[in-house]
Amino acid sequence: MKNVDILIIGGGPAGLAAGLSAKRNGVENVLILERDKCLGGILNQCIHNGFGLHTFKEELTGPEYADRYVTMVNTEAVPYMLNTMVCDISVADDGDKIVTAMNKENGMMKIKASAVILAMGCRERPRGALSIPGSRPAGIFSAGTAQYYVNMEGRMPGKKIVILGSGDIGLIMARRLKLEGAEVLCVAEIRPKSGGLKRHIVQCLEDFDIPLYLNTTVTCIHGKSRVEGVTLSQVDENMNHIKGTEKFVECDTLLLSCGLIPENELTTAAGASMDPKTGGPVVDSTLQCSIPGLFACGNVLHVHELVDHVSAEAERAGAFAANYVKGR
Amino acid sequence: MVKTVERDVELTCIRCPKGCALTVHVNPDNTATVTGNSCPKGEEYGRTEVLNPVRTVTSSVRIAGTKNGVVSVKTKGDIPKGKIFECMDALKGISVEAPVKIGDVIIENVADTGIDVVATANFE
Ligand code: SF4
């Protein structure tokens, strides 16, 4: 069995900063496991700018911000494995963590680690969790999936777009699709206020005259094989539909940007206590979960607004994990 | 000298995600006084946003000879807001040869703005 001092699960902004910090704090034998084919996580598809003002004192795009960290990880020789999926974390009698992971070359493998840092990030709330009535035609995407298509593969999800939810990715995609020539008809937000940054409302909607309808949601999706339109309805303060406010909007694509959920299947399966408010594990002031030696940072702990904050938190987690290992 | 109507414009600074609420007072001589900013960038933003709005444009271009390879790009500096779509049009037909490195110039002086479009990602 492979033995490491600190194992980091996830090679996005949190994992990279945590790995660097663990090594800078004197623990040599660290390992980052990343399930994608490259490091950097979601930053690679966030091609807009606004990253790094705190960390690097300049405004970078997502890929540039990721590259800064990837370059440091390579220069400082922090070990990592790509295309590697972690499927289980368990705790041995001596307190060591046994992490089960797999990839194409090694098949299934077990790695023994003195400490583990959770840095799996978050994912988007899917349609199923939103329970919108209607059929199941093609043309419904989460905003992040659409972002992947456009920014990583150069493909458009559709031509006439309605966006449900004014989370930041939805706002960013409103602008992105508009710039690429799509018609972005509106953004509907069920709450009385957008969940996105004011900066994005200005830069992504107001700049392009894309309307934002507050207290409004999609109450029906029309179309059989492809989306043909949606019904928008206003809601009252209890988020119940107000009868008579229904409006049909013709479109071929519906993007969902309705919030992010920390990705904690591994954490819950490991038996760590969870905080229902954040969707992340309960941690103490050293970012340690209820299981000693298990640390968490970044969006897996709670959803952050700024990647700079993720990096800063992950740096602390790396240092705390290093202290833990040295103290054992 | 340009004569402007003296007025107050309320806006949100978008130079960073903090989003400070700015008040820009436009003076009759077409200068502006900014309040509400938390850093000097906000002052500069408030002034230009009211007198001459600019934006950084980010997009992607195709990699020649690949099925769906793209590399992300940005304008290296801000360009006038009114030039955004001209800049996008210039990017539309472009495909570049790999390898591409961060900072490589993709289009010089895009849409006559004096600003280059550069790559923001590496492509082997
Ligand atoms: S004034 Fe400074 S801190 Fe405030 S939003 Fe603008 S750039 Fe950010």
Side-chain angles (χ1 to χ4, degrees), chain A residues 53 154 176 198-199 207, chain B residues 12 14 16 55 60 62 74:
Chain A
L53 275 164
R176 185 78 187 105
K198 180 70 187 173
R199 161 189 165 91
D207 270 10
Chain B
T12 307
I14 56 171
C16 90
R55 293 287 183 267
S60 54
R62 295 189 180 277
K74 69 174 179 187

Side-chain angles (χ1 to χ4, degrees), chain A residues 47-50 53 59 61 63-64 67 151-154 176 179-180 197-199 202-203 207-208 306, chain B residues 12 14-17 41 55-56 58-60 62 68 70 72 74 81 84-85 88 102 120-122:
Chain A
I47 66 167
H48 56 282
N49 59 338
L53 275 164
E59 190 168 16
T61 63
E64 291 172 308
D67 182 69
N151 294 346
M152 306 300 284
E153 300 193 336
R176 185 78 187 105
L179 284 177
E180 288 293 344
L197 297 171
K198 180 70 187 173
R199 161 189 165 91
V202 173
Q203 244 180 354
D207 270 10
F208 299 97
L306 293 187
Chain B
T12 307
I14 56 171
R15 290 311 305 213
C16 90
K41 281 202 185 90
R55 293 287 183 267
T56 294
T58 60
S59 187
S60 54
R62 295 189 180 277
N68 45 24
V70 288
S72 52
K74 69 174 179 187
K81 206 166 131 181
I84 293 178
F85 279 98
M88 287 303 295
I102 289 180
T120 57
N122 301 314

Side-chain angles (χ1 to χ4, degrees), chain A residues 14 17-18 21-22 24-25 55 69 297 310-320:
Chain A
S21 163
R24 285 173 186 170
N25 281 284
T55 313
Y69 273 93
C297 56
V310 167
S311 299
E313 186 177 86
E315 207 177 305
R316 289 171 51 228
F320 288 132

